[in-house]
Amino acid sequence: MSETIWLIPLIPLLSSVTLMLFGSRLKVSQIGILGVASVGIAALLTLLLAVEFMQNQQVIQLSLWTWMEVAGFAPGISFYFDGLTLVMMSVITGVGFLIHLFSTEFMEKDPSYARYFAYLNMFVAAMLVLVMADNLLLLYLGWEGVGVCSYLLVGFWYQHNANGHAARKAFIVTRIGDTAMALGLLLLFTQLGTLDIQTMVGEANRTWQVGATIPTIACLLLVCGAVGKSAQLPLHTWLPDAMAGPTPVSALIHAATMVTAGVYLIARTHGLFLLAPTAMTAVAIIGITTSLMAAFTALMQTDIKRILAYSTISQIGYMFLALGVGAWSAGIFHLMTHAFFKALLFLGSGAIIHCLHHEHNIFKMGGLRTRMPVTFWSFMIGSAALAALPMTSGFFSKDQILLQAYQLPDIGPGLWMAGLLGALLTAIYSFRLVFVVFFGKANTEPDKDTGWRMAVPLSVLCLLAMIGGWFMIPVSEVFPASDGSHPAHWVEYVSISVPIVGVLIAYLIFYSGRLNIDGLVSSTLGRRLGQFWLSGWGIDWFYDRLFVKPYYGLANVLKSEPIDAIYGLIVAINQTFNHWLSVAQSGRMRWYLASMVAGLILVITVAANLSVGVL
Amino acid sequence: MDGLNIPLNHILLVSSLLFSIGMLGLMIRRNIIFILMSLEVMLNAAALAFVAAGAHWGQPDGQIVFMLILTVAAAEVAVGLGLVLQVQKRFKTLDMDHANRMQG
Amino acid sequence: MVMINLIVILLVGGLLAILSERISDTMPRKVAMAVVLVDVLYLLICLSGMPDIIHLQAPVANDPSSWLMHFKADWIPAFGISIELALDGISLLMVLLTLVLGAIAISASWTDIVARKGFFEANLLWSLAGVLGVFMSLDLMLFFLFWEVMLIPMYFMIAIWGHENRGYAAMKFFIFTQASGLLMLMSILALVAVNHGATGVWTFSYFDLLNTQMAEQTAHWIMLGFFIAFVVKLPGFPFHTWLPDAHTQAPTAGSVILAGILLKTGAYGLIRFAVPLFPEAALNFSYPAMWLGAAGVVYGAVLAFGQTDFKRLIAYSSVSHMGFVLLGIYAWNELALQGAVMQMVAHGFSTAALFMIAGSLQERLHTRDMREMSGLWQQMPRMGAVAMFFIVASLGLPGLGNFVAEFLVLLGLFQVNVLITVIAASGLITGAAYSLLLMQRSFHGKVNKKWADYGLSDFGPREMSTMAVMMIALILLGVYPQPVLDVAQPVLQSLLDLTTIPTLAVAEATP
Amino acid sequence: MLEIGFFYIAATVALVATVMAMTRANAIHALIYLIVSLLAVAVIFFLIGAPFAAALEIVIYAGAIMVLFVFVIMMLNLGEKGDKQERQWLQPSIWAGPAILSAVLLLELLIVISQTAGPVSVTAVSAKEVGLALFGPYVLAVEIASMLLLAGLVGSFHLGRRYLERDNLEKQGDQ
Amino acid sequence: MNATMFSALAPILILSLTAIVLMIQASIKRDESVAWIITAVGFVLTLWGAIYARDYAQSVTILLQVDHWSLFFTSLIMIASLVTLVLSRDTFSPEGERKEEYYLLLVLSVLGAVVLIQSSHMVSLLLGMELMGVALYAMIAFPERGQLPLEGAIKYLVLSACASAMLLYGFALIYAATSELSYAGIGAKGAQAYGENPMLIMAGSAMVLAGIGFKLSVAPFHMWTPDVYEGAPTPVTGFLATVSKGAVFVALSRFYIDGALYQYNSLNTALVFLAIASMLVGNWLALRQENIKRLLAYSSIAHFGYLLVVLIALTYLDTGLVSQSITFYLAAYMVTTLAAFTVVSTVAGEDTAKQDISAFEGLFWHRPLEASALTVAMLSLAGIPLTAGFMAKFFVITVGIQSGLWGLLAALVIGSAVAIYYYLRVIFAMSKSTESTGESASHLEKLLALVLIAAILVLGSWPQPFIAYAGLL
């Protein structure tokens, strides 16, 4: 099995290429089968691999060929497989398979069905390469690959300019992070002479002291990449807009897999981060800040997908917090559980949107509980997990993060409290969503409930969202063991109770209406604040003024080529001389004679050195 | 007859004055006939300078060049006056400022 | 002789193409295609006779036998000018690129030339011949000759078959390149004169001139002459302004050749001549040169972003991309140089393909204005997909050739100067911005009703197969660039040995 | 010393006559001044020991060449109208610039000429000496000069003939 | 004078004889075509004579210096004269104008040029120049109609006579200072006199330079050039541009080299001014010129500016490379200019309207041979490799670099860069698509165009034999 690990990314890739080349000639059913089966096979192979790994706990390193070899720079097309990889691969192929299956029904009517699956398969392949890469350059290949697939899929419905805009925004904003990350790669290679992750970490530990400058800079650059890809502050703005893509795409890329690549990157290179405590602190602070910011924003959103998008940002903030405080496995654990429940929620919202004729506004839904039972239960379970209600998968992972954060010296309790606030908000907004959409009176009549191809993935994901918290992720070998100490019990109790309080608040406001916040909302401060949160803290507006507009302005100013003006000036000078001399060429003989005499005088003056006497 | 002790530079002074006057005439006159006359003055000035220099060195060469200048002057004037006739015929004027159809 | 034959085949082929127009209207293009293919085949056959192409030895300057091919014959012995052609790894890469892109260019202009087809194909072949000469000449005079002469057919291609503003563009192109060529001529002659003064021998041979001793100031000025000539052709900031006009106005095949090949002659000249002939002067000049490169990367990208003309946008993207080449060359270490060489090859394909798409659009829509395009994917999905491929290639997607090139350049550059690297890397972001904008404005977006019943035909088999060649090339370059690197490596190694720049540069850069 | 006095008188006459020739409006007047100037120069030639040159100056220059001018002036019949025009044209605004140029040129020539020193030779160069040189080393010059005159002849013939022919044709047309 | 001298004088004698035969023929029976044939035979024989005389190289009296160099240029101008002759045949008004005098004048003018080339003495310089000039005045004014030829001729006559006066006065000053009239004598005495009386020599040389510079149309003595070029019948313009200018330049270099004028630094400085002015002024003037003959006039101004660089370099280099460069440059320039005028003459003729660049539009497509010839000529004038003009420029730059004349080279680069524009404009105009159809040239003229293209390309691409030949001169 270990020798054929390369088949896992290859199969979706081949399927993708096939779909691109021959998609127009295949029947819809064939396309669906090809698209789903390829990922299915990959998932199956991953499963086999997992079984094998569970038995022998053996790390696999497989090098296919040397990508390039220049002056000692010799990254390979080579894979590295350990527990962390396994977790990621399982999520990708497993959740990916479910989402593919879901898509076959969701996208059935779309004329570009083949293109859709081609992109989606391509994405899976790229994502697999990302997580399986043995060196940072190959990881970067996957990293950019998923970026492009994300771009393609966000802008899948290219006829609408807004989608194109969102897609470009997604790509370019993440590219900013990616470029910083590339610089990090350059720095790491220049300093350590390799980009192989394992060798590099080893080399780094030999070369650098903890807290030295260079690893800090390198880690911060990597963090920039992670921040971009995982939509953390300050590069998170693309994610809400990326909801323009088909909903299964949002589920796969913008919830379950790609956006968590940053988390994976930091976890994968944790060996470096341990050398750079400053960077880790930065990660933690970025994480918790993002988490809170996004949670507040999610509270105000009305678009169902945007709520989920901000919630994703918020949840990834938790993962960053985990990474920042050194709770590596908690972070990865949350990554996994989040993949389950957030995919579930997205697919659920997809089902709603699908059945409600592309309605996104939650206040135009309502009362769907009875009409779409499968979806309702999916949402219930998903939201419970998202809110980290006890015994759901989200509970276990988030709990771990908060507890470990608390234990951090100095800023630990602060982080913990902020985390709690976030958890409270999460509970509020997730159940606001549930209450508004599924209870109350119906505003729109759905066509039907979901078909089996949508129902099955939802059900499986429900299950996973429920029980996912009981999984043991095999990463103990990968990360350094935590010290195992536990904080005081009250901390734990508080952590458990906060989400429940949140759900209650949501219930009071949005279901029973006992708690009337209209006054609060309609007060000046409330309105302003609401508006502020709705707009995502004005960050988009701010960026637009600070970067986008000036760049457009610059491009517009330069469009006429100021440099060319210099050459234009040269031309003008020549033309001026031409003009003067042409005027002198008047055709009058007397004038010609005068010029000759003047010339003669000049020549005599110079030749006989007369100027010396005159001057 | 023997020559006299006339300083060379005095003769050259006269010739340069003649040359300059001829040049001036050339530049200010518009009538082609006067222009040709001015040219003769200039050539004559050069001839004077040659003869003087020849006399200065006691060589016949100066006078030979003078003779050749005469020849040149004759030939030029012959053709020049031929052109004058044509100018009068085709331009109906001898004003050279009118002969400026080509310019630029 | 092989090298002479390669050139002569193309020259004669041009004449045949003219004559063949008398047979039938479509004959010239077939003849031209056949000629180029024959040339490729001939080269490949001759190469297959060589023992082991991949494990090339480093060509030793004074030992012609260490070169892949070498030919020398007297030309103007009075001045020590000879017909000296030689082929090493880099030349070989460039020659192959030239021929392949030549074939692609012919395919690109298969249908869009309506008048004077024979003369068109002849010009195309002749400019290819000139470019081959540039890539193979080792005699500076011969190099200069090819350098200048290849421009004339190019001039005609733009001036006769170009678009609406062709006169201006052709003139600008020619004056820029010729004026800078004049500077190069001065530099060549100055170099030769210095050598003549030192040794008493007239020679234009590269080998003889390599070790010319001269005063620092002299070397600096002579080097500058070469530099400007090459950078104008490259084109580097701020000498690039001829390029957008020329590329935009040229017919498709002209743009393909201009962007794909002609620009590379500038880079080739820098690698082959400007640096090795004046190592110290080049070292002293490396920082200004790199700043120019970085400026080109950013400036080109920003300007590309502002364009509304499809071809103009691509043209500016070339400015940006060739900035990387300049950076790579003046970082002058193996990584960066390999990156530069890779960029030359990869950019050749990606930009050629984009120009071909632009040409196809122009042929179908009779406009290049992106404001009039929109949603073309709807009607031409194959073209859209192909465009998408090359756009992501040009924005440097890993796995495709351009990424390898840019990354290697940055990697090499990083070792020399971090700040410039950061600025250059920002080109990756701006690059994404304009590339995606291009896609958005033309193929994506709302479907423009104007074209709805225009009967737009998608790419046919000929176009698709041409494109496929370039796609495959870019993918191979992206995932397994090693053959190219291997071919270039010994040459670069020997060039690096000739100069002591890298160690010095690194020593300076490291604080 | 008297002879030297003659030189200065001749020189003055030549210069004054030339200036007059250059400034006259009437062509014939100018021509006569010019002839006076040439005669004065001939005197100078004589005084500096070039009698042969003096003779040629009178015979050919003042005689033959100037007659050509007279001839043409008469042919063209330049009358009162021409005089008036000429007076109009001789405005200060027209000659101021050229005068400055000429003055500067003269100044330069004077500076240069002031460098020379010494008298002209005391012995005259006789016609015989000139003749010997002319048909000795300069014999080819004589031949070429003949060709030059031939060219002048042919040229003026061609131009003048056309003038006359056309004149006749026009007259015939009038009749 | 002895027999070998007569052999050495073969070209001059044959030309003189041709002139006489023409006169006799005219007096017997005036027949244009016979006169043409006599002239052609005379020219060919002169060409042979120039080769024949190579074995008898010597100085003939004090006036003429017959050596390989001058004989080479004699052959060159004979070729140019032959071309002029061919072009002259169909020129001028077709209404039966008699042209016998024209051929006679042409022969006399060529004779003057040959004398000029072989001159080693002030007198022969003067006579050669005047003979050439006087004949040219009449040739320029030869057409019986129109004001332009007349205007050109009168301008040329007056200005040229003024220049001659300057030249003469300059020689008088030199003579006054040195007592010498032959170049060699001036050179020898000048070296002695340098200490005592240099100013006279320098001022005199400056005036000579002005006089000769006028004939070469070096700025600021250039103003007549376009008007005369435009006014003159096209073959005469070609003659003026090649034979006249070439011969005068050879005479100038003779004078400069043998007279050892290069030793006067200030004179050299003056020459530098003239050269720079010519390069810039010529090219700037040509920039937007519409009339192709005027354009060629301006271009010639610039070209003689380039050529002056070589003379200036004499101060720094020995004469070997310099004379080689002059030889090559003049040969290249003449061949190129002849090609250009051949095309202008056959395509535009004497019609001023057809001399506009715009009138050449589409020439590529209906008269490819002529268009190719003009293209090659323009490229050669612009100095594009593979053409004679490039090799010529190569020589100039080499010489300039060897002498370290950076200022001049800078002007050369600027001038050449500007020049590319207007040369290309002509080519671009020809490549435009138009519908007009032109009449075609005679076979002789087509052959001529072909031969000239070949000559330009051979000189440019395989100059070695020629260089070797020029090196032996």
Side-chain angles (χ1 to χ4, degrees), chain C residues 49 134 328 440 442 460:
Chain C
V134 165
Q440 175 66 33
S442 50

Side-chain angles (χ1 to χ4, degrees), chain D residues 105 109 111-113 115-117 136-142 144-145 147-152 154-159 161-162 165-166, chain E residues 16 23 60-64 98 101 104-105 108 111 115 121 123 127 130-131 134 138 141-145 169 181 197 199-200 203 207:
Chain D
L105 180 65
L109 288 177
I111 296 172
V112 170
I113 287 163
Q115 302 289 313
T116 58
Y138 286 104
V139 63
L140 280 176
V142 177
I144 300 164
M147 285 293 164
L148 174 59
L149 287 172
L150 175 62
V154 174
S156 55
F157 166 72
H158 175 72
L159 296 167
R161 184 199 64 196
R162 283 188 316 189
E165 276 179 1
R166 285 295 157 114
Chain E
S16 309
M23 294 237 298
V60 182
T61 72
I62 52 170
L63 296 184
L64 300 179
R98 286 176 295 192
E101 295 104 326
L104 185 54
L105 289 168
L108 288 172
L111 177 62
V115 170
H121 192 276
V123 162
L127 287 175
E130 287 303 322
L131 176 51
V134 168
F142 204 85
E144 296 199 0
R145 297 225 177 130
Y169 203 89
L181 282 171
N197 207 356
M199 197 182 261
L200 216 53
M207 292 184 84

Side-chain angles (χ1 to χ4, degrees), chain A residues 571 573-579 581-582 584-589 591-593 595-600 602-604 606-610, chain E residues 154-155 158-159 162-163 166 199 202 206-207 210 214 220-223 226-227 266-267 269-270 273-274 281 284-285 287-288 294 298 418:
Chain A
V571 171
I573 290 170
N574 280 309
Q575 284 178 343
T576 311
F577 279 119
N578 170 264
H579 179 72
L581 290 166
S582 297
Q585 209 70 41
S586 63
R588 294 199 174 184
M589 203 160 72
W591 169 244
Y592 290 5
L593 278 163
S595 87
M596 274 176 70
V597 176
L600 178 67
L602 187 84
V603 173
I604 295 178
V606 175
N609 268 331
L610 292 176
Chain E
I154 200 93
K155 277 179 182 168
V158 171
L159 297 171
C162 175
M166 291 176 183
M199 197 182 261
M202 291 192 293
M207 292 184 84
F214 167 84
F221 311 106
H222 64 279
M223 289 200 155
D227 294 3
S266 53
L267 194 62
T269 315
F273 277 121
L274 295 184
V281 166
W284 275 329
L285 271 170
L287 202 56
R288 290 201 282 188
R294 292 180 81 84
Y298 292 132
V418 173

Side-chain angles (χ1 to χ4, degrees), chain D residues 31-86:
Chain D
L31 204 56
I32 289 173
Y33 277 115
L34 189 54
I35 291 171
V36 171
S37 159
L38 293 174
L39 291 177
V41 171
V43 171
I44 297 176
F45 284 169
F46 190 77
L47 290 176
I48 58 176
F52 187 55
L56 286 180
E57 175 90 358
I58 294 168
V59 174
I60 299 180
Y61 229 137
I65 298 179
M66 289 304 126
V67 166
L68 270 181
F69 273 96
V70 175
F71 201 71
V72 170
I73 291 167
M74 286 165 69
M75 265 177 89
L76 296 179
N77 197 14
L78 300 172
E80 289 284 312
K81 207 178 108 210
D83 288 9
K84 229 193 267 167
Q85 272 185 345
E86 290 294 326

Side-chain angles (χ1 to χ4, degrees), chain E residues 35 60 90 100-101 105 114 138 257 330 384 400 458:
Chain E
V60 182
D90 299 332
E100 298 83 13
E101 295 104 326
L105 289 168
V114 174
I257 295 170
L330 279 179
I384 306 294
V458 168

Side-chain angles (χ1 to χ4, degrees), chain E residues 11-178:
Chain E
I12 291 180
L13 292 177
I14 296 171
L15 276 174
S16 309
L17 213 63
T18 312
I20 293 165
V21 170
L22 273 173
M23 294 237 298
I24 294 169
Q25 184 258 335
S27 65
I28 297 169
K29 182 177 185 294
R30 299 191 63 134
D31 187 319
E32 195 181 301
S33 47
V34 175
W36 191 86
I37 291 167
I38 291 173
T39 316
V41 170
F43 283 175
V44 172
L45 282 177
T46 314
L47 196 54
W48 167 82
I51 296 158
Y52 166 78
R54 283 172 72 90
D55 298 335
Y56 304 95
Q58 58 183 302
S59 34
V60 182
T61 72
I62 52 170
L63 296 184
L64 300 179
Q65 172 79 36
V66 180
D67 55 16
H68 286 184
W69 207 49
S70 60
L71 286 172
F72 169 77
F73 281 111
T74 307
S75 331
L76 200 59
I77 65 164
M78 286 329 294
I79 293 168
S81 307
L82 272 169
V83 173
T84 311
L85 189 64
V86 170
L87 296 181
S88 302
R89 201 176 62 160
D90 299 332
T91 316
F92 306 144
S93 49
E95 52 185 79
E97 187 172 346
R98 286 176 295 192
K99 287 201 300 195
E100 298 83 13
E101 295 104 326
Y102 175 82
Y103 296 124
L104 185 54
L105 289 168
L106 179 63
V107 171
L108 288 172
S109 196
V110 174
L111 177 62
V114 174
V115 170
L116 197 53
I117 282 170
Q118 303 190 344
S119 67
S120 63
H121 192 276
M122 194 247 122
V123 162
S124 44
L125 175 81
L126 172 69
L127 287 175
M129 210 169 201
E130 287 303 322
L131 176 51
M132 192 174 76
V134 168
L136 258 174
Y137 306 147
M139 284 162 72
I140 294 169
F142 204 85
E144 296 199 0
R145 297 225 177 130
Q147 298 182 336
L148 298 192
L150 195 60
E151 185 185 330
I154 200 93
K155 277 179 182 168
Y156 190 52
L157 181 131
V158 171
L159 297 171
S160 160
C162 175
S164 298
M166 291 176 183
L167 175 112
L168 278 168
Y169 203 89
F171 269 121
L173 291 181
I174 296 175
Y175 182 49
T178 59

